[in-house]
Amino acid sequence: MAYDKFNILKSTCVPLPIENIDTDQIIPARFLKATERKGFGENLFRDWRYNMDDSPKKDFVLNNEKFKGQILVGGKNFGSGSSREHAAWAIYDYGFRCVISSFFADIFRNNCLNIGVLPVQLSTEFLDKIFKAVYNDPKIELIVNLTEQKVLIPKLKLSEFFDINSYKKENMLNGYDDIDYLMNIKEDILEFSKNTPL
Amino acid sequence: MSKTLFDKVWDSHVVHKIKDGPDVLFIDRHMVHEVTSPVAFLGLKNRGLKVLFPEKTFATADHNTPTINQHLPVKDLLSANQLKALEKNSKEHGISYWGLGHEKNGIVHVVGPEYGITQPGATIVCGDSHTSTHGAFGAIAFGIGTSEVEMVLSTQCIMQPKPKKMRINIEGTLNSGVTPKDVALFIISKLTTSGATGYFIEYSGSVFSEMSMEGRMTVCNLSIEMGARGGMIAPDDKTFDYIKGREFTPKNGSWEKAMKYWSNLKTDKNAVFDKEINFDGNKIHPMITFGTNPGMGINISKEIPYADNQNDGIETFKKSLKYMDFSEGESMLGKNIDFVFLGSCTNGRIEDFREFTRIVKGKKKAPNVTAWLVPGSHKVEKAIKEEGLLKILNEAGFELREPGCSACLAMNDDKIPAGKYAVSTSNRNFEGRQGPGSRTLLASPLVAAAAAITGKITDPRTLQ
């Protein structure tokens, strides 16, 4: 099933400089009961965003009018914990198309790539520069250029290269997904299955 | 060329290699549960696809199921709807479904090994990060997202870059009162929750070869908490004895054939790992966590460390202590607790109930403690009764609930109230994991039992 193509994203960003943000924070388990992929954005960071009485927590960044944008910038080891793809869905559904961090948990990174959210891993130094820049000027824009594998802060003339394997890059640029690929080699898979040891 | 155990299993399952991309890996066993599968089945429907190998796919209900009155209709409508969806999808695609009330029902990572679905040298996936549990049998087992569940349902393959390899070797003998859970919490406290990200772990050394299959499952289960995709232990006689004769294990001639494959499943002498780590088993003590990730664990008789000694950000560390309402330098022993949870795919097996019962035998549950004892499966529940453990537990003031994931992730009604402290044998102490505002202290079944008796954090060795 194709998803949105991703090439160049120019946007302001939302800073969340906390390490080890786990998927239970991104979307708590009690919101995983849907049988369709709908409405998860409402509960993104639910318990950091709302009090028990559902009133917004004023000090949380998603409740701060100053910070908006399609890029979420998080601290080291973003997305650790549960394999729930709902975390990536919530991020997408809220309106983010890219998550930047200095380190991602494995399964979360895959989940993002599989639904068309680009996880971008940058150096700790560059991540700190982004945090400083956005706190200094919440309207500052970042450019995420997938073709060139670069994140730029044009106003400050800063940029950094990021890594992504060429297969996943092609998928993101064209909006392909893995099932499209696998269905094309179905005969090979069936042949392979005849000789598996178990 | 010398190969590691991981290489042997991985390489024998690669259907296709993509240059500068992932491998196409064939999956032998796919386990499915109600929470991460409905959108995947919906995806199949939208593409007009069927499950390619229903006989390699196994469905069970566990994440949101109630642990009392399972014979009654599920009250929570959303949970009931998810359970119904799994039942319907399983039926439609010819997948065996062990739903609520089925005698084989239980937590996916408990029932897989119990019925011999889990086998050495297999590739096993499930839309759940604790799929790493099955690595205890020398399988490559790891958690996947829902898009990947859809991939495996439709093509029995997954696309993954081959992870790097890490070996964690622990020699020596474990001290009394030190369980596999303590070994795992000890490793995570040293490695941090991201220390093994990008790696697949092989556990080796006398501590693991001496360990029971249940214990190995506990350790492999927690591999994900150090960031690893999974962890595995080379199969040995203990492994083969455990699986022999179980419902889904090969029989007669097929067993001999399988043994031929399995007996080669060990790391070659000169095989190279990307990273090797050694610990001394004698230096591990009963552990407990004090913070909001599983890496924030300490020897139970030590004090909470100071923020400025931490690798991770000081602010994040302080935020975590604030959530727990703990202070740097405080002793963990003697702190009051409110709840005890024994169960989950980490510690919900029969051995865990034996250990817990050993401590509480002849004593009484502290009146201020609410204890939830949740077996990992009906099979475990049955063994608890047959071995006479239930009687001892009842006499000590404990009751047994029905199987499920329960308070580990609190998707059902088993929620720890806000602000309350729970000594939990589960796997995650994240903020709100066991209910909004709940405070989790991860520990072994022994530490949980000691806390249930005294109402405080207690070194179980002082009660034996």
Side-chain angles (χ1 to χ4, degrees):
Chain A
M1 188 93 10
Y3 49 72
D4 304 351
K5 292 177 187 178
F6 191 110
N7 186 8
I8 294 172
L9 176 65
K10 187 177 177 190
S11 170
T12 51
C13 64
V14 177
L16 199 49
I18 297 169
E19 286 88 0
N20 304 318
I21 293 176
D22 58 78
T23 51
D24 273 83
Q25 307 319 312
I26 299 173
I27 182 112
R30 61 188 190 279
F31 301 112
L32 307 184
K33 294 185 180 181
T35 51
E36 287 177 276
R37 202 188 127 180
K38 268 188 204 156
F40 288 100
E42 282 169 35
N43 295 313
L44 175 67
F45 291 111
R46 179 77 202 193
D47 294 338
W48 286 359
R49 204 166 137 199
Y50 297 103
N51 292 305
M52 296 275 191
D53 63 3
D54 292 337
S55 60
K57 290 185 179 177
K58 293 211 173 75
D59 57 350
F60 187 62
V61 68
L62 294 189
N63 297 324
N64 187 338
E65 283 297 318
K66 273 202 308 199
F67 300 105
K68 298 269 177 216
Q70 290 180 287
I71 303 170
L72 178 62
V73 189
K76 185 188 153 202
N77 196 25
F78 192 95
S80 58
S82 154
S83 61
R84 59 188 71 161
E85 195 167 297
H86 312 66
W89 297 342
I91 284 170
Y92 180 93
D93 192 48
Y94 185 85
F96 293 114
R97 291 294 173 270
C98 172
V99 185
I100 295 177
S101 175
S102 58
F103 197 84
F104 285 95
D106 237 2
I107 305 180
F108 176 79
R109 179 206 298 264
N110 270 353
N111 287 343
C112 283
L113 287 167
N114 283 336
I115 67 156
V117 170
L118 183 67
V120 171
Q121 187 164 320
L122 300 175
S123 67
T124 311
E125 294 73 33
F126 201 85
L127 189 73
D128 286 343
K129 283 178 192 163
I130 296 179
F131 283 135
K132 276 204 190 101
V134 66
Y135 282 123
N136 197 30
D137 173 11
K139 293 210 162 61
I140 199 159
E141 281 188 320
L142 306 189
I143 295 176
V144 180
N145 184 326
L146 178 57
T147 307
E148 293 186 3
Q149 296 180 223
K150 263 188 185 166
V151 172
L152 303 97
I153 315 177
K155 196 178 158 193
L156 302 178
K157 296 194 169 57
L158 293 170
S159 73
E160 190 169 88
F161 179 83
F162 65 88
D163 215 20
I164 181 169
N165 75 53
S166 53
Y167 168 82
K168 278 293 178 193
K169 182 176 169 179
E170 273 308 294
N171 274 9
M172 291 287 295
L173 287 171
N174 296 298
Y176 299 155
D177 78 3
D178 287 351
I179 297 184
D180 300 336
Y181 185 96
L182 290 169
M183 288 310 288
N184 277 328
I185 58 161
K186 194 174 160 194
E187 291 310 313
D188 294 353
I189 295 170
L190 289 173
E191 197 52 39
F192 186 93
S193 73
K194 291 177 190 157
N195 295 310
T196 52
L198 296 172
Chain B
M1 208 185 108
S2 299
K3 284 186 164 194
T4 67
L5 164 65
F6 175 76
D7 290 326
K8 289 179 185 181
V9 181
W10 181 279
D11 295 349
S12 66
H13 286 82
V14 174
V15 179
H16 211 75
K17 272 190 159 331
I18 300 169
K19 199 172 169 280
D20 189 29
D23 287 348
V24 175
L25 197 70
F26 189 81
I27 300 302
D28 294 314
R29 305 281 184 273
H30 184 196
M31 307 206 191
V32 174
H33 65 83
E34 75 276 24
V35 174
T36 56
S37 68
V39 173
F41 280 109
L42 203 61
L44 284 195
K45 196 174 168 189
N46 292 339
R47 293 175 202 253
L49 297 173
K50 295 295 276 181
V51 174
L52 191 60
F53 288 103
E55 70 278 16
K56 295 183 191 290
T57 314
F58 302 84
T60 184
D62 57 5
H63 275 63
N64 70 23
T65 53
T67 57
I68 47 168
N69 294 325
Q70 286 188 351
H71 61 289
L72 300 177
V74 175
K75 270 197 229 151
D76 180 316
L77 290 180
L78 291 173
S79 295
N81 191 35
Q82 254 184 352
L83 293 167
K84 217 186 286 162
L86 183 60
E87 187 175 4
K88 184 177 152 279
N89 288 326
S90 300
K91 209 169 175 182
E92 209 171 296
H93 291 274
I95 299 166
S96 73
Y97 171 64
W98 301 346
L100 205 55
H102 193 289
E103 57 166 356
K104 292 176 191 165
N105 177 257
I107 304 174
V108 58
H109 310 309
V110 176
V111 298
E114 275 177 348
Y115 291 94
I117 297 167
T118 307
Q119 292 173 23
T123 46
I124 302 173
V125 295
C126 172
D128 185 277
S129 60
H130 293 107
T131 308
S132 58
T133 313
H134 309 269
F137 293 80
I140 288 182
F142 54 88
I144 57 177
T146 296
S147 296
E148 294 168 311
V149 170
E150 188 182 338
M151 244 176 258
V152 182
L153 289 174
S154 56
T155 68
Q156 204 60 31
C157 284
I158 194 163
M159 302 182 76
Q160 295 272 317
K162 190 175 178 182
K164 288 184 284 185
K165 290 161 288 181
M166 178 189 286
R167 177 157 61 187
I168 298 179
N169 188 64
I170 309 186
E171 301 291 348
T173 313
L174 295 179
N175 295 307
S176 104
V178 177
T179 70
K181 180 65 165 287
D182 301 302
V183 174
L185 287 177
F186 172 83
I187 301 171
I188 307 165
S189 76
K190 297 292 175 195
L191 258 62
T192 79
T193 53
S194 58
T197 304
Y199 292 89
F200 211 97
I201 300 169
E202 179 178 343
Y203 299 99
S204 71
S206 57
V207 161
F208 302 109
S209 52
E210 290 302 312
M211 208 175 261
S212 67
M213 288 314 296
E214 284 86 353
R216 292 179 190 181
M217 284 188 249
T218 300
V219 172
C220 289
N221 171 280
L222 290 163
S223 303
I224 181 74
E225 308 310 334
M226 38 196 115
R229 248 319 163 81
M232 65 201 301
I233 296 173
D236 57 11
D237 287 344
K238 252 182 220 173
T239 320
F240 305 132
D241 288 347
Y242 182 99
I243 60 173
K244 198 165 188 177
R246 290 182 191 257
E247 187 173 335
F248 289 90
T249 39
K251 308 283 178 324
N252 307 319
S254 310
W255 173 266
E256 309 305 327
K257 197 179 141 211
M259 274 301 282
K260 223 173 179 175
Y261 168 54
W262 294 340
S263 56
N264 184 37
L265 293 178
K266 46 176 94 67
T267 292
D268 297 332
K269 224 175 177 179
N270 300 316
V272 180
F273 288 83
D274 299 287
K275 201 170 189 176
E276 297 232 34
I277 296 172
N278 292 288
F279 294 114
D280 181 352
N282 305 302
K283 293 195 176 143
I284 304 174
H285 299 276
M287 298 283 294
I288 194 157
T289 64
F290 58 88
T292 55
N293 75 54
M296 300 175 84
I298 47 170
N299 173 342
I300 194 167
S301 49
K302 295 280 188 214
E303 291 81 38
I304 295 171
Y306 286 84
D308 44 14
N309 294 335
Q310 300 306 306
N311 294 330
D312 284 341
I314 292 176
E315 289 312 311
T316 303
F317 185 89
K318 286 187 173 165
K319 178 178 184 291
S320 180
L321 284 195
K322 191 177 166 209
Y323 180 86
M324 295 300 290
D325 197 19
F326 289 160
S327 303
E328 298 161 72
E330 272 181 352
S331 169
M332 288 301 284
L333 288 175
K335 282 186 179 298
N336 289 326
I337 60 109
D338 310 290
F339 282 75
V340 164
F341 172 57
L342 173 66
S344 84
C345 59
T346 309
N347 281 125
R349 283 170 283 267
I350 186 62
E351 190 178 89
D352 304 310
F353 282 83
R354 287 185 195 131
E355 291 284 88
F356 187 95
T357 310
R358 186 161 65 81
I359 297 287
V360 305
K361 187 176 180 178
K363 304 185 183 75
K364 285 279 177 221
K365 180 181 79 64
N368 61 316
V369 171
T370 305
W372 291 333
L373 276 50
V374 184
S377 69
H378 280 305
K379 205 169 176 131
V380 173
E381 183 186 24
K382 200 166 161 230
I384 292 168
K385 290 175 182 164
E386 284 174 1
E387 290 184 18
L389 304 182
L390 183 59
K391 190 164 170 279
I392 300 169
L393 290 168
N394 288 159
E395 281 165 5
F398 295 93
E399 280 168 27
L400 194 64
R401 297 172 81 90
E402 292 170 286
C405 297
S406 180
C408 174
L409 82 167
M411 271 194 84
N412 65 0
D413 289 340
D414 306 347
K415 290 178 173 54
I416 309 294
K420 298 291 182 191
Y421 291 96
V423 175
S424 178
T425 67
S426 54
N427 40 56
R428 289 188 175 131
N429 49 351
F430 297 150
E431 285 183 32
R433 168 82 177 182
Q434 298 195 284
S438 62
R439 292 167 171 154
T440 303
L441 308 158
L442 298 176
S444 74
L446 292 182
V447 171
I453 293 300
T454 60
K456 297 173 192 309
I457 297 175
T458 304
D459 186 334
R461 292 170 299 191
T462 61
L463 288 184
Q464 280 167 353

